[in-house]
Amino acid sequence: MMEAMMTLPELPVGIWGRVVQINAPPAMARRLMELGLIPGTRVCRTAESPAGDPSAYLIRGAVVALRRQDAGGILLYPEEGGEGR
C-alpha cells in the first residue's frame, strides 16, 4: 500500500506526500519547520520552473518556492490518490 520514501524534489507535480523526516543543517531545518514542514505535514508539488529549479509546493494552504538543494533533505511518502485534502 505505502510507496517507497522519496525526497521532496522527487515528488511528481500534482502529487501529495506526507513529510516523514527533515535532514538539513540546523538553520535550514529551522526555516523549513517555520514554513510548516514538520513530520506529518501534507505537501503537494504544484509546479516546476522551466529550468527545473526552484519548484513550488503547497504547504498548509500557502504556496512556497524551494530550491532543489533546500528541499532535498525533506523525506516523505507519496500518498495514493494524493490530490486534495
Side-chain angles (χ1 to χ4, degrees), residues 26-84:
M28 179 53 63
R30 184 172 45 255
R31 179 174 175 265
L32 293 170
M33 287 189 259
E34 287 171 352
L35 292 172
L37 281 166
I38 59 173
T41 299
R42 293 185 73 230
V43 59
C44 179
R45 186 174 184 184
T46 59
E48 182 177 67
S49 74
D53 196 26
S55 289
Y57 301 93
L58 182 60
I59 305 165
R60 299 181 183 265
V63 176
V64 177
L66 293 173
R67 295 178 301 166
R68 177 176 290 277
Q69 176 182 352
D70 297 334
I74 301 166
L75 301 175
L76 51 80
Y77 282 113
E79 294 188 339
E80 288 187 24
E83 3 178 295

